[in-house]
């Protein structure tokens, strides 16, 4: 809060100066603008860049009777300060603890992300800490050795470790990109493994190998009753499922997603179809982990909408419902007209949830929860099968709209034909 009102700067002589709130905001805006125009955009954390800007501004510009710099000089100077913040940009291999339930000896890869059981990965960590390269400073060596036991204790509380390499970023940006990339890989496992089996799969967080809980209550006679429970953390997927994931067919399906994660980890722009796929997976994964079913319904429907919306401002619910039913019709033995109506009703329920017009005892909650999970997962799976080969090809919104609308027309005609016994 202090920096929201006053900010201290140090001039070239080390004297402290303060600038007002508006000046502070202006300096921050200039810093963000300079970063966006620099080669370090997306590679340097904005807060770190701003610290260098504040340091340089105080040192170079706070002077008595100083001339106002030209616009070009000011721009060049800001770029120098941003470059100073970028000296930390380097290649880093991040090790992120997670719970996905791999057995010892099994490793899987999704694009740039490699998963291994913590039991298998920890020797590599110990070796790196105890045998650092010659370039490591004595201070770094000493600190790492002292903290090794804490690191081992934390990582060993998780079943698995994800490895991902991020190149050319400072530490905060590199860490954020690593987490985003690994989470996207986990979201794919959520979709392929299904919600029921992956709801307790997670990335990082508290070091809890199991979800242990205790409950106490008093009975009529005043006696205390205690209940203890323990729940496994991680994906409840059989080892056979992981074997299938490693096989050619499953690996082939996941191949385009690995390419998307490569682009994500290297800060490259995604094309429309690939970007929407990752966004839908993220909403689906978030819904799977959500313990509130009304909230999860909203997220499942948002995942569906992310795939199916093409800029319409009216008749959205009807259009999304028919598109969802048409795509699901191709792989499941669903009645097109019935599914269209069910999805439409689910969208109506979402509106009630968002505007507080529902009751937790509403029977529609349970029914819509399972329907939305199934439809969202099916749509994402279809999107991968249907458009995976075009994830890296430029596709416009009008192109996608035309394709989806023509497909709805075909399926609707086929459904009517089937209904007449043709």
């Amino acid at each position: 809060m202090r920096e929201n009102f006053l900010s201290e700067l140090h001039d070239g002589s080390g004297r402290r100066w303060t600038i007002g709130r508006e000046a502070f905001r202006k300096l921050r805006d200039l810093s963000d603008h300079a970063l966006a125009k620099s080669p370090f955009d997306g590679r340097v954390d904005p807060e770190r860049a701003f610290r260098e800007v504040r340091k340089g501004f105080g040192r170079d510009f706070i002077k008595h009777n100083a001339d106002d710099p030209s616009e070009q000089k000011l721009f060049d100077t800001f770029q120098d300060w941003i470059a100073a913040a970028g000296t930390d940009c380097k290649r880093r291999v991040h090790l992120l603890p997670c719970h996905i339930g791999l057995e010892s000896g099994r490793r899987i890869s999704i694009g740039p992300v490699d998963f291994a059981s913590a039991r298998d990965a920890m020797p590599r960590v110990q070796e790196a800490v105890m045998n650092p390269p010659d370039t490591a400073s004595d201070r770094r060596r000493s600190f790492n050795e002292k903290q090794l036991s804490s690191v081992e204790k934390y990582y060993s509380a998780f079943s698995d470790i994800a490895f991902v390499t991020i190149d050319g970023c400072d530490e905060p940006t590199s860490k954020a990109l690593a987490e985003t990339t690994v989470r996207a890989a986990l979201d794919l496992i959520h979709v392929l493994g299904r919600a029921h089996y992956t709801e307790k799969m997670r990335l990082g967080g508290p070091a809890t190998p199991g979800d242990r809980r205790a409950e106490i209550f008093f009975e009529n006679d005043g006696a205390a009753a205690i209940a203890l429970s323990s729940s496994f953390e991680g994906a409840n997927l059989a080892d056979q499922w992981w074997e299938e994931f490693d096989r050619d067919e499953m690996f082939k399906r996941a191949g385009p997603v690995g390419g998307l994660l490569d682009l994500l980890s290297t800060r490259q722009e995604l094309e429309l179809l690939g970007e929407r796929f990752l966004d839908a997976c993220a909403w689906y994964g978030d819904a799977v982990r959500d313990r509130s079913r009304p909230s999860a319904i909203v997220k499942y429907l948002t995942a569906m909408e992310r795939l199916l919306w093409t800029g319409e401002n009216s008749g959205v619910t009807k259009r999304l419902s028919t598109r969802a039913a048409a795509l699901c019709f191709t792989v499941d033995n669903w009645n097109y007209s019935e599914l269209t109506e069910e999805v439409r009703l689910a969208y109506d329920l979402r509106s009630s949830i968002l505007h507080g017009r529902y009751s937790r005892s509403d029977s529609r909650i349970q029914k819509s929860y399972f329907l939305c999970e199934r439809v969202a997962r099916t749509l994402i799976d279809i999107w991968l099968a249907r458009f995976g080969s075009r994830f890296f090809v430029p596709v416009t919104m009008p192109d996608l709209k035309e394709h989806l609308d023509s497909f709805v027309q075909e399926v609707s005609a086929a459904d009517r034909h089937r209904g007449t016994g043709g």
Side-chain angles (χ1 to χ4, degrees):
M1 290 297 295
R2 179 172 174 271
E3 285 193 339
N4 285 335
F5 296 94
L6 295 173
S7 177
E8 287 188 350
L9 300 178
H10 294 80
D11 64 18
S13 301
R15 290 175 298 183
R16 290 186 298 180
W17 295 69
T18 58
I19 60 176
R21 186 175 185 178
E22 290 304 315
F24 177 83
R25 286 181 172 177
K26 181 64 175 177
L27 190 61
R28 178 59 191 260
D29 288 344
L30 289 171
S31 176
D32 290 344
H33 177 73
L35 179 59
K37 297 291 185 180
S38 80
F40 294 97
D41 183 33
R43 299 170 54 202
V44 168
D45 177 57
E47 292 298 329
R48 177 169 289 189
F50 186 44
R51 285 198 298 269
E52 289 295 333
V53 166
R54 288 173 55 196
K55 184 193 303 181
F57 188 85
R59 181 187 65 241
D60 300 337
F61 284 100
I62 297 184
K63 301 175 183 178
H64 290 293
N65 302 320
D67 296 331
D68 289 337
S70 66
E71 185 175 335
Q72 184 61 49
K73 180 180 179 183
L74 191 62
F75 178 81
D76 292 341
T77 305
F78 265 79
Q79 291 301 312
D80 291 339
W81 296 334
I82 298 297
T87 55
D88 183 45
C89 291
K90 62 182 69 171
R91 179 178 180 271
R92 291 178 171 88
V93 180
H94 295 268
L95 283 67
L96 303 182
C98 55
H99 283 301
I100 66 173
L102 289 179
E103 289 191 353
S104 180
R106 183 174 300 285
R107 301 177 69 94
I108 65 166
S109 298
I110 303 177
V113 183
D114 295 320
F115 292 98
S117 71
R119 180 180 299 178
D120 294 339
M122 282 310 297
R124 178 178 173 183
V125 175
Q126 296 163 341
E127 173 67 21
V129 172
M130 300 307 296
N131 297 286
D134 295 336
T135 54
S137 66
D138 291 339
R139 183 178 179 182
R140 171 65 64 87
R141 292 167 185 260
S142 176
F143 179 82
N144 286 355
E145 290 176 5
K146 290 178 181 178
Q147 300 303 319
L148 178 59
S149 61
S150 297
V151 171
E152 290 176 330
K153 183 177 180 180
Y154 177 71
Y155 275 80
S156 62
F158 294 83
S159 61
D160 311 279
I161 295 178
F163 296 79
V164 61
T165 300
I166 305 296
D167 201 8
C169 296
D170 68 359
E171 186 175 350
T173 307
S174 185
K175 180 181 178 182
L177 270 175
E179 290 179 350
T180 299
T181 305
V182 173
R183 195 174 299 282
L186 293 179
D187 289 333
L188 176 67
I189 297 175
H190 276 304
V191 172
L192 298 179
R194 302 191 178 190
H196 176 71
Y197 301 103
T198 64
E199 62 182 2
K200 294 181 180 178
M201 183 175 69
R202 63 184 176 90
L203 171 65
T208 52
D211 183 4
R212 298 182 178 87
R213 304 190 183 196
E215 179 185 3
I216 186 169
F217 53 91
F218 298 111
E219 298 178 337
N220 288 338
D221 59 0
I226 294 176
L228 302 175
S229 66
S230 180
S231 178
F232 171 77
E233 286 288 296
N236 187 25
L237 296 168
D239 193 50
Q240 181 181 358
W241 189 91
W242 294 110
E243 289 180 4
E244 292 177 356
F245 187 90
D246 264 347
R247 289 175 184 166
D248 291 343
E249 186 59 33
M250 183 79 81
F251 187 80
K252 183 179 179 181
R253 287 177 63 200
V257 186
L260 293 178
L261 299 191
D262 279 324
L263 296 178
L264 200 63
S265 66
T266 54
R267 310 173 307 282
Q268 298 183 57
E269 292 292 328
L270 302 179
E271 296 295 343
L272 177 68
L273 297 178
E275 181 182 47
R276 290 199 165 199
F277 177 83
L278 287 187
D279 288 348
C281 286
W283 279 109
Y284 180 90
D286 204 17
V288 170
R289 297 184 291 269
D290 198 326
R291 295 296 182 265
S292 168
R293 289 197 167 178
S295 175
I297 289 171
V298 172
K299 293 172 181 177
Y300 283 132
L301 286 165
T302 304
M304 295 159 56
E305 191 166 328
R306 185 64 180 130
L307 295 176
L308 302 175
W309 183 77
T310 53
E312 295 80 12
N313 293 318
S314 62
V316 175
T317 298
K318 179 180 179 180
R319 193 179 296 269
L320 295 177
S321 301
T322 55
R323 287 174 177 176
L327 287 169
C328 290
F329 183 79
T330 62
V331 295
D332 280 285
N333 189 26
W334 274 329
N335 182 290
Y336 170 73
S337 300
E338 289 181 1
L339 183 57
T340 298
E341 180 63 12
E342 287 180 329
V343 174
R344 186 191 67 77
L345 292 174
Y347 268 101
D348 290 343
L349 178 61
R350 182 179 77 163
S351 179
S352 297
I353 293 171
L354 290 174
H355 295 96
R357 298 193 301 265
Y358 84 100
S359 168
R360 287 189 174 273
S361 60
D362 194 325
S363 60
R364 296 177 299 167
I365 295 293
Q366 178 110 337
K367 178 180 178 182
S368 292
Y369 174 82
F370 291 109
L371 171 74
C372 292
E373 185 279 324
R374 183 184 175 192
V375 174
R377 172 170 43 82
T378 302
L379 281 175
I380 295 172
D381 203 34
I382 291 171
W383 197 270
L384 177 58
R386 194 176 186 87
F387 300 123
S389 62
R390 304 190 68 189
F391 279 172
F392 313 99
V393 177
V395 174
T396 67
M397 190 85 82
D399 290 338
L400 179 59
K401 180 180 184 301
E402 181 182 359
H403 174 80
L404 292 175
D405 286 344
S406 64
F407 189 68
V408 168
Q409 292 175 3
E410 291 178 17
V411 172
S412 180
D415 186 62
R416 288 194 302 269
H417 182 67
R418 186 175 66 175
T420 59

